[in-house]
């Protein structure tokens, strides 16, 4: 007897799930289906799962395709199940091509073509609407978004838009998307939400057109470069009863949220200073280094340290100063903000490397977060007496984009935008606008 096994969450069971099980069943005589437990889903970073384990098992049982159902509870269980049960074939969706090649030592591994373009009415009830994303842009971050979306229940990526059709086609084929387009209006007609990952200077217009077309918008940072544009887009989203969210993954990851709560709880006393840095070295020929008004370290990286500062001290600073090293575009910039009762600094660099730490100084102690603090997994509360120190650990899953996707879906389900997130994006735009228009930047000379 030829035994086949496959695994999945099978949340809010849909036609794509059933087609995968049917194809897996056809590979042998006996089909074993592994359904992930709640704890294992949390461990592997699967977010926004709507149904309980028992409900998801019942989803599979009702198809009458599974000869046996097991619960997947821990990392490495696939090997244990395959060897214990005498499995001949491991089958999984083709969107995971290569991920499970290590199992070839134990059995045949088959990647099954996934079902593309299944309609939302076939997928989920009104209480749990499926969000069909279209991606604007086909670069590195767009590829990461496709992979991260697989870990969020309730989201799927259907298509991609790029003004260069050949690039869109290659991207769609690589990620097995149901369509690609170089015509923006046609692209918008086939999705109910867009993720904008195009060059920075194009964000405003793509977001505006999407909102006018009735689509929810998740836009990569920086969303826009002026307060006027930010306020205009949020007002448009509100009038259309749509969700517009700037894609700041750090803001929504568990470790960072807990860090902000600890700092604002008074555990280190009154916050007097916030210092955050994010630097990396990149080749001179990449998009971020182009001298087109949208390149440089401030445009590319400042959103992260400014996020930390604004979350802790707010947007009511009274003075701001910039110091830049910019032989072409700004390769390194320090942003200093003075508040009535605190000071803050943000350091960013694309051509200068610095320690990427995040330090919050208070009257009773301080919080230290090592690089990469924007992927917050660990931080320490430190005091005058070293024995009083507290260490906190949190899991940061994957590239972190799944956290912003979940927040985006939650806002859509709630039917409203987060006013705090809107204000934050406007404050970020205000800093970027000040930098771009400032005639009073201090330059470091070579």
């Amino acid at each position: 007897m030829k035994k086949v096994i496959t695994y999945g969450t099978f949340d809010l069971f849909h036609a794509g799930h059933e087609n995968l099980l049917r194809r897996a069943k056809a590979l042998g005589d006996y089909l074993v289906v592994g359904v992930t437990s709640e704890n294992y889903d949390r461990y592997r970073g699967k977010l926004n799962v709507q149904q309980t384990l028992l409900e998801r098992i019942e989803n599979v049982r009702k198809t009458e395709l599974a000869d046996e159902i097991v619960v997947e509870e821990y990392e490495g269980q696939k090997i244990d199940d395959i060897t214990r049960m005498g499995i001949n074939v491991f089958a999984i969706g083709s969107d995971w091509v290569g991920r499970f090649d290590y199992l070839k030592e134990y059995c045949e591994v088959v990647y099954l073509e996934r079902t593309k373009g299944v309609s939302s009415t076939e997928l989920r009830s009104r209480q749990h609407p499926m969000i069909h994303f279209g991606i604007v842009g086909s670069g590195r971050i767009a590829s990461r978004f496709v992979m991260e979306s697989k870990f969020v229940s309730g989201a799927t990526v259907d298509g991609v838009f790029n003004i260069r059709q050949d690039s869109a086609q290659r991207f769609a084929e690589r990620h097995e998307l149901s369509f690609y387009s170089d015509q923006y209006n046609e692209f918008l007609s086939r999705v109910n939400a867009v993720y904008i990952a195009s060059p920075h200077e194009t964000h405003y217009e793509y977001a505006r057109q999407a909102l006018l077309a009735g689509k929810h918008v998740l836009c990569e940072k920086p969303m826009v470069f002026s307060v006027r544009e930010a306020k205009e887009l949020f007002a448009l989203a509100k009038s259309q009863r749509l969700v517009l969210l700037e894609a700041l993954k750090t803001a929504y990851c568990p470790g960072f949220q807990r860090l902000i709560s600890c700092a604002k709880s008074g555990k280190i006393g009154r916050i007097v200073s916030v210092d955050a840095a994010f630097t990396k070295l990149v080749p001179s020929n990449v998009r971020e280094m182009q001298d087109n008004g949208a390149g440089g370290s401030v445009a590319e990286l400042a959103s992260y340290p400014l996020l930390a500062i604004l979350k802790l001290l707010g947007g009511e600073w009274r003075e701001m100063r910039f110091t830049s090293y910019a032989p072409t575009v700004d390769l390194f910039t320090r942003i200093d903000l003075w508040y009535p009762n605190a000071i803050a600094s943000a350091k960013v660099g694309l051509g200068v490397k610095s320690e990427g730490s995040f330090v919050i100084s208070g009257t009773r102690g301080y919080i230290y977060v090592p690089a990469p603090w924007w992927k917050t997994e660990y931080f320490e509360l430190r005091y005058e007496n070293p024995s009083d120190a507290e260490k906190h650990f949190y899991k940061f899953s994957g590239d972190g984009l799944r956290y912003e996707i979940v927040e985006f879906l939650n806002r859509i389900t709630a039917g409203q935008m987060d006013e705090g997130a809107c204000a934050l994006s406007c404050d970020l735009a205000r800093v970027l606008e000040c930098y771009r228009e400032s005639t009073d930047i201090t330059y470091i000379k070579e």
Side-chain angles (χ1 to χ4, degrees):
M1 183 170 62
K2 190 175 183 180
K3 288 188 173 183
V4 182
I5 195 166
T6 189
Y7 295 85
T9 302
F10 302 108
D11 185 42
L12 297 159
F13 201 84
H14 57 73
H17 291 142
E18 184 167 356
N19 288 341
L20 183 127
L21 294 182
R22 199 174 300 280
R23 292 188 186 116
K25 178 85 167 181
L27 295 174
D29 309 301
Y30 189 91
L31 177 63
V32 180
V33 178
V35 181
T36 55
S37 69
E38 286 97 339
N39 286 338
Y40 186 56
D41 273 330
R42 283 192 291 271
Y43 168 79
R44 69 194 188 101
K46 178 77 174 182
L47 306 177
N48 206 42
V49 176
Q50 301 290 322
Q51 293 182 306
T52 67
L53 174 60
L54 291 179
E55 288 174 317
R56 292 182 284 117
I57 289 174
E58 184 64 11
N59 291 342
V60 173
R61 188 194 65 76
K62 285 180 179 178
T63 66
E64 299 184 347
L65 293 168
D67 296 289
E68 186 175 344
I69 299 174
V70 299
V71 177
E72 186 177 21
E73 300 184 86
Y74 58 91
E75 188 74 19
Q77 184 176 330
K78 291 181 178 68
I79 293 175
D80 292 344
D81 287 345
I82 288 168
T83 54
R84 174 176 56 84
M85 303 173 75
I87 298 297
N88 306 105
V89 180
F90 169 84
I92 201 75
S94 57
D95 45 346
W96 295 103
V97 167
R99 171 67 177 79
F100 297 101
D101 284 355
Y102 71 93
L103 294 176
K104 290 179 179 179
E105 181 181 343
Y106 305 93
C107 66
E108 181 184 358
V109 175
V110 176
Y111 295 100
L112 301 168
E113 184 178 358
R114 72 182 185 91
T115 304
K116 303 176 185 177
V118 183
S119 72
S120 59
T121 54
E122 293 172 324
L123 291 171
R124 297 163 78 96
S125 68
R126 288 185 178 181
Q127 289 74 31
H128 304 287
M130 174 67 78
I131 298 302
H132 287 257
F133 276 102
I135 298 181
V136 179
S138 50
R140 290 168 298 171
I141 191 69
S143 289
R144 291 180 203 152
F145 187 88
V146 175
M147 296 308 299
E148 288 282 295
S149 70
K150 300 179 192 303
F151 290 90
V152 180
S153 183
T156 184
V157 178
D158 285 359
V160 61
F161 164 82
N162 194 308
I163 56 174
R164 291 169 29 232
Q165 189 180 64
D166 58 336
S167 179
Q169 181 177 0
R170 288 194 301 270
F171 186 91
E173 291 173 349
R174 183 166 69 252
H175 294 289
E176 297 188 294
L177 306 185
S178 60
F179 77 94
Y180 61 89
S181 179
D182 62 351
Q183 300 299 313
Y184 197 50
N185 288 335
E186 187 269 339
F187 161 81
L188 290 174
S189 71
R190 303 179 66 174
V191 298
N192 55 17
V194 297
Y195 168 65
I196 299 175
S198 55
H200 302 329
E201 65 273 17
T202 66
H203 289 180
Y204 165 75
E205 189 57 32
Y206 282 139
R208 188 182 70 84
Q209 290 183 45
L211 292 169
L212 287 171
K215 312 302 175 181
H216 301 290
V217 175
L218 177 62
C219 185
E220 261 305 323
K221 53 81 192 161
M223 186 174 70
V224 290
F225 286 114
S226 76
V227 178
R228 179 191 61 79
E229 289 177 339
K231 289 183 176 180
E232 180 185 328
L233 290 180
F234 282 120
L236 178 57
K238 188 174 183 178
S239 70
Q240 298 279 77
R241 297 185 178 180
L242 296 168
V243 171
L244 169 65
L245 184 68
E246 189 165 4
L248 289 162
K249 62 184 181 184
T250 304
Y252 305 110
C253 75
F256 182 79
Q257 291 181 331
R258 180 58 180 153
L259 162 66
I260 297 300
S261 296
C262 278
K264 298 181 79 170
S265 70
K267 296 193 73 171
I268 59 169
R270 186 173 70 81
I271 298 172
V272 174
S273 175
V274 178
D275 300 283
F278 188 168
T279 65
K280 62 180 181 179
L281 301 179
V282 301
S284 59
N285 61 344
V286 298
R287 173 188 57 77
E288 298 95 313
M289 300 291 274
Q290 293 179 3
D291 187 14
N292 61 357
S297 60
V298 171
E300 187 65 23
L301 300 176
S303 298
Y304 289 110
L306 289 172
L307 163 70
I309 293 168
L310 294 170
K311 281 286 187 180
L312 291 165
L313 300 178
E316 299 302 318
W317 63 84
R318 65 184 184 188
E319 187 179 348
M320 180 165 48
R321 184 178 300 164
F322 303 97
T323 305
S324 284
Y325 170 59
T328 51
V329 296
D330 70 292
L331 300 182
F332 179 84
T333 294
R334 173 171 169 151
I335 305 170
D336 292 297
L337 295 95
W338 282 266
Y339 289 80
N341 298 303
I343 56 174
S345 71
K347 292 192 297 185
V348 290
L350 293 175
V352 174
K353 190 65 181 171
S354 179
E355 170 60 40
S357 60
F358 174 24
V359 178
I360 308 167
S361 304
T363 55
R364 291 181 52 217
Y366 69 98
I367 298 177
Y368 171 75
V369 197
W373 62 264
W374 49 94
K375 297 181 178 181
T376 314
E377 292 186 290
Y378 167 75
F379 62 88
E380 292 183 21
L381 277 72
R382 296 177 174 176
Y383 299 96
E384 187 68 23
N385 184 350
S387 63
D388 293 333
E390 298 179 21
K391 298 181 179 182
H392 295 257
F393 298 87
Y394 296 88
K395 183 175 177 59
F396 184 93
S397 298
D399 283 318
L401 279 70
R402 64 193 69 179
Y403 299 116
E404 65 194 36
I405 298 173
V406 169
E407 178 65 20
F408 186 62
L409 267 56
N410 288 343
R411 290 289 111 212
I412 293 173
T413 300
Q416 61 182 13
M417 289 187 291
D418 180 349
E419 293 301 324
C422 298
L424 174 66
S425 289
C426 288
D427 286 335
L428 289 172
R430 183 153 56 108
V431 177
L432 295 176
E433 183 175 20
C434 286
Y435 181 75
R436 286 160 62 91
E437 296 186 355
S438 178
T439 57
D440 191 28
I441 300 173
T442 300
Y443 286 100
I444 300 171
K445 297 181 179 180
E446 292 197 71

